């Protein structure tokens, strides 16, 4: 298992998409800051300037690319041949994707703090209760933790799609569609009046 994990880490570390994902996350969060309205700033800070949506999209693309690369180059069969079990290969890939999810979430926390300091230095203090009865920082960390757990579902979905279709574009398209559909349904349910 450790050998498979080391091999996967070596492959991922030398891919440009690994680094581009973090840069894209920062760019999209910056875009969210620049496009916001002043009446929703506290809400955006709590949500990490849209990091949850952006991380979901980046994870779908990254997961699909990780498996599609193996299918396109026909190296998955070689990995199956050299590994004692197929399960070890899939677990190694899953662990790498989970680690990347952790990196993206830690980066989003750092980027959120940086963007808040740059754009709203004297407003919306971390310990103020702008969004309810809890401080911004506590709400932000809770939502980030929930998003980290929800990313497990997104990763599982992306892996299932790429294993099912074996075509990167199809898996990414369906995954992105499901992410946007889920956010739309979630937003619709949360805006419904209570009965």
């Amino acid at each position: 298992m450790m050998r498979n994990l080391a091999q996967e880490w070596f492959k991922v570390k030398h891919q440009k998409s690994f680094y581009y994902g973090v840069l894209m996350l920062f760019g999209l969060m910056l875009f969210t800051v620049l496009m916001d309205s002043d009446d929703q700033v506290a809400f955006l800070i709590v949500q990490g300037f849209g990091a949850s949506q952006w991380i979901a999209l980046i994870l779908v693309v990254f997961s699909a690319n990780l498996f599609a690369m193996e299918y396109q180059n026909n190296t998955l069969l070689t990995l199956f041949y050299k590994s004692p079990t197929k399960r070890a290969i899939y677990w190694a890939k899953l662990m790498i994707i989970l680690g990347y999810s952790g990196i993206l979430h830690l980066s989003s926390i750092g980027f959120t703090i940086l963007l808040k300091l740059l754009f709203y230095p004297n407003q919306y203090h971390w310990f103020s209760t702008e969004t309810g009865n809890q401080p911004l920082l506590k709400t932000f960390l809770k939502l980030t933790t929930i998003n980290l757990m929800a990313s497990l579902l997104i990763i599982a979905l992306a892996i299932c799609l790429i294993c099912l279709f074996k075509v990167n574009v199809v898996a990414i398209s369906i995954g992105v569609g499901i992410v946007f559909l889920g956010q739309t349904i979630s937003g619709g349910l949360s805006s419904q009046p209570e009965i």
Side-chain angles (χ1 to χ4, degrees), residues 33-52:
V33 170
L34 297 175
M35 300 307 291
D36 74 48
S37 61
D38 288 336
D39 59 336
Q40 296 180 349
V41 174
F43 182 68
L44 285 175
I45 291 171
V46 165
Q47 288 196 334
F49 299 108
S52 61

Side-chain angles (χ1 to χ4, degrees), residues 8-44:
E8 291 301 323
W9 174 246
F10 179 80
K11 286 188 274 188
V12 166
K13 186 172 63 171
H14 288 86
Q15 284 184 350
K16 292 179 183 176
S17 64
F18 181 77
Y19 303 102
Y20 288 159
V22 177
L23 291 174
M24 181 175 280
L25 175 64
F26 180 69
L28 291 168
M29 288 173 69
L30 180 64
F31 174 75
T32 304
V33 170
L34 297 175
M35 300 307 291
D36 74 48
S37 61
D38 288 336
D39 59 336
Q40 296 180 349
V41 174
F43 182 68
L44 285 175

Side-chain angles (χ1 to χ4, degrees), residues 171-192:
I172 290 174
S173 300
I174 293 172
V176 168
I178 290 173
V179 167
F180 279 124
L181 180 66
Q183 290 173 356
T184 303
I185 290 171
S186 170
L189 290 175
S190 65
S191 66
Q192 294 295 323

Side-chain angles (χ1 to χ4, degrees), residues 5 8 35 74 134 193:
L5 198 57
E8 291 301 323
M35 300 307 291
N74 290 326
Q134 295 182 351

